[in-house]
Amino acid sequence: MTFPARFPDGSDLSWTAFRYVAGETSSAEADAFEARLADDQAAREAVAAAVELSGAIALLDPVAAFPSRPRKRGSRAMVWVATGIAAGLMLGFGFDYLSSRLPTTAQPRMAEEVVRAWSDLRRQADDPDALTHQLALNDDTADLAATLALVSDSEGEPPSWMSELATLPPLNASPRSEN
Amino acid sequence: MDELDHREPPDVLSTSDQRLDPSRIAALYVEHATELRRFVLGVVRDPDLASDVLQAVFAKAIEQGHHSREETRKGWLFRVAFHEALAHRRRENVRDQARRKLSSLWTRADERPEESLIRGETVQAVRKALERLPPEQRQVVQARIHDEKTFAQIASELNLPLGTVLTRMRLAMERLRRGLETGERW
């Protein structure tokens, strides 16, 4: 069975039929559509098709059919995940390597890099597809709540501890003479 | 009942009173009952009431089906079904504009085995089509059909204009229909 064609007046018969079946029409719209059902076989078949389609969707296993966790507008969970990775790298190998090899004058530049990376992470957080994908990988709702609190306080700036981290000398570097 | 066609003789010899042969009635049931039932469900939105309506429709087909022509018999059945649905709805004093559990419209304990088979195939086709939806459309479909939220509630929770939510749902349903049409077997 193919879905019926459009109404002669150009409106979408299938969409109207779905809204009618779902109870999303006003009383006037429902009355008008039922007047059409009295004579229009295409409209009747559209109703039958709408019942079938919506019923099939309703019968799906929601966990399997809708794997992405619903998110609210403005969520910043991916910022936390990526930030955590970045911070870990800074605390571990990357920061130690760079700071031990860069002159002290490069340390303020490191702070700038932190700010730039933070901005990049925020831009990525605004990407709904990337964020949804990341949320699907994140099973820990407690961490998610903490993340949202952290980022919501940031107001576009990286946390102060991260900026300060970029200015600290490395723990394991050899003493350098200050020139 | 209006628009009954009296012009043509019955296309199958009936056992008595020029009525349609029982085998023809049975064939009509096999051919059209599933779609008829879905249509009636869409009008009355009550599975038990729909069963009563369907029974009344085929009782009418036995009594008056011979007045219709073969080529228009499907339309005749649907027209009868619509009028019966309205009549039953009035008798039950049900004109429910509220949301319905859409899943409940489609389950039926006494469904024929072949209907169950078709339903399984349809569900799988829809599942595959759902996987191809953009996330924002899938989100609205889930909220409306699985979470039973109104479009207004969805718009409020997502902080979106109602029109955006409706558009996403409409686009999603169009894509799912196309997926069903390309994947289904009738």
Side-chain angles (χ1 to χ4, degrees):
Chain A
M1 182 181 79
T2 57
F3 248 73
R6 293 175 176 269
F7 272 129
D9 61 5
S11 59
D12 192 331
L13 176 54
S14 299
W15 174 237
T16 303
F18 169 77
R19 290 196 301 117
Y20 171 77
V21 169
E24 292 275 5
T25 56
S26 64
S27 292
E29 284 181 297
D31 287 341
F33 191 64
E34 287 181 355
R36 195 122 199 176
L37 290 177
D39 299 311
D40 190 336
Q41 180 61 18
R44 298 170 196 146
E45 292 180 12
V47 169
V51 169
E52 181 188 23
L53 178 56
S54 54
I57 297 169
L59 289 175
L60 288 170
D61 175 4
V63 174
F66 304 102
S68 299
R69 180 176 299 191
R71 66 177 177 89
K72 292 189 176 180
R73 195 176 172 86
S75 175
R76 297 289 186 264
M78 200 184 87
V79 178
W80 171 248
V81 175
T83 301
I85 295 172
L89 288 173
M90 291 171 65
L91 287 170
F93 302 104
F95 182 80
D96 183 54
Y97 177 85
L98 291 174
S99 294
S100 66
R101 285 157 176 76
L102 290 173
T104 54
T105 54
Q107 289 182 0
R109 193 174 306 155
M110 182 68 74
E112 294 174 6
E113 292 295 330
V114 168
V115 173
R116 190 172 303 116
W118 183 262
S119 296
D120 288 340
L121 291 173
R122 287 185 62 85
R123 275 196 295 276
Q124 290 174 40
D126 287 333
D127 179 346
D129 288 338
L131 184 57
T132 300
H133 174 70
Q134 195 59 44
L135 285 172
L137 302 176
N138 186 353
D139 293 327
D140 194 329
T141 55
D143 279 351
L144 178 59
T147 299
L148 296 176
L150 170 71
V151 179
S152 65
D153 291 334
S154 71
E155 297 184 0
E157 297 297 324
S160 58
W161 61 265
M162 188 174 286
S163 298
E164 291 169 4
L165 187 66
T167 63
L168 291 177
L171 293 175
N172 298 324
S174 310
R176 292 191 294 270
S177 58
E178 299 284 344
N179 296 327
Chain B
M1 176 62 56
D2 56 343
E3 300 179 34
L4 292 177
D5 191 335
H6 299 269
R7 291 175 293 173
E8 304 268 358
D11 52 289
V12 177
L13 290 177
S14 57
T15 54
S16 65
D17 300 329
Q18 299 297 309
R19 291 181 179 179
L20 291 179
D21 188 88
S23 63
R24 187 68 189 110
I25 298 292
L28 285 172
Y29 186 89
V30 170
E31 186 175 358
H32 298 299
T34 299
E35 193 180 2
L36 267 171
R37 187 172 182 275
R38 289 171 188 159
F39 167 63
V40 171
L41 272 173
V43 176
V44 302
R45 298 169 199 159
D46 182 309
D48 292 330
L49 196 57
S51 296
D52 292 342
V53 170
L54 202 63
Q55 194 171 12
V57 169
F58 281 92
K60 276 271 173 68
I62 292 172
E63 295 170 9
Q64 303 177 17
H66 56 285
H67 293 298
S68 63
R69 288 177 299 176
E70 179 65 28
E71 58 268 26
T72 59
R73 190 151 293 138
K74 179 181 180 181
W76 183 87
L77 283 171
F78 270 78
R79 193 163 53 247
V80 171
F82 178 65
H83 287 283
E84 287 294 328
L86 292 185
H88 277 68
R89 209 170 65 182
R90 280 193 294 270
R91 279 199 289 274
E92 296 289 324
N93 197 27
V94 171
R95 180 57 191 276
D96 192 344
Q97 290 296 319
R99 292 172 293 119
R100 286 292 189 179
K101 289 189 182 298
L102 291 167
S103 61
S104 71
L105 298 184
W106 220 42
T107 56
R108 186 182 177 205
D110 57 345
E111 199 173 61
R112 290 174 296 150
E114 54 271 31
E115 288 180 356
S116 297
L117 178 62
I118 292 171
R119 182 177 69 179
E121 294 173 346
T122 302
V123 169
Q124 290 309 311
V126 168
R127 182 182 59 78
K128 291 178 182 176
L130 259 175
E131 290 173 357
R132 294 189 291 268
L133 285 183
E136 63 274 14
Q137 291 179 15
R138 195 164 53 237
Q139 181 184 34
V140 175
V141 170
Q142 177 184 10
R144 180 62 189 87
I145 296 183
H146 267 272
D147 300 342
E148 301 284 346
K149 297 176 182 175
T150 63
F151 289 128
Q153 287 174 327
I154 296 168
S156 175
E157 290 180 7
L158 296 181
N159 195 27
L160 292 172
L162 179 59
T164 300
V165 172
L166 290 172
T167 298
R168 289 182 182 181
M169 187 71 183
R170 180 171 176 165
L171 290 172
M173 296 305 278
E174 287 179 359
R175 290 188 185 208
L176 293 174
R177 278 194 298 272
R178 284 199 297 271
L180 196 60
E181 289 169 9
T182 56
E184 69 186 4
R185 284 175 290 164
W186 292 94

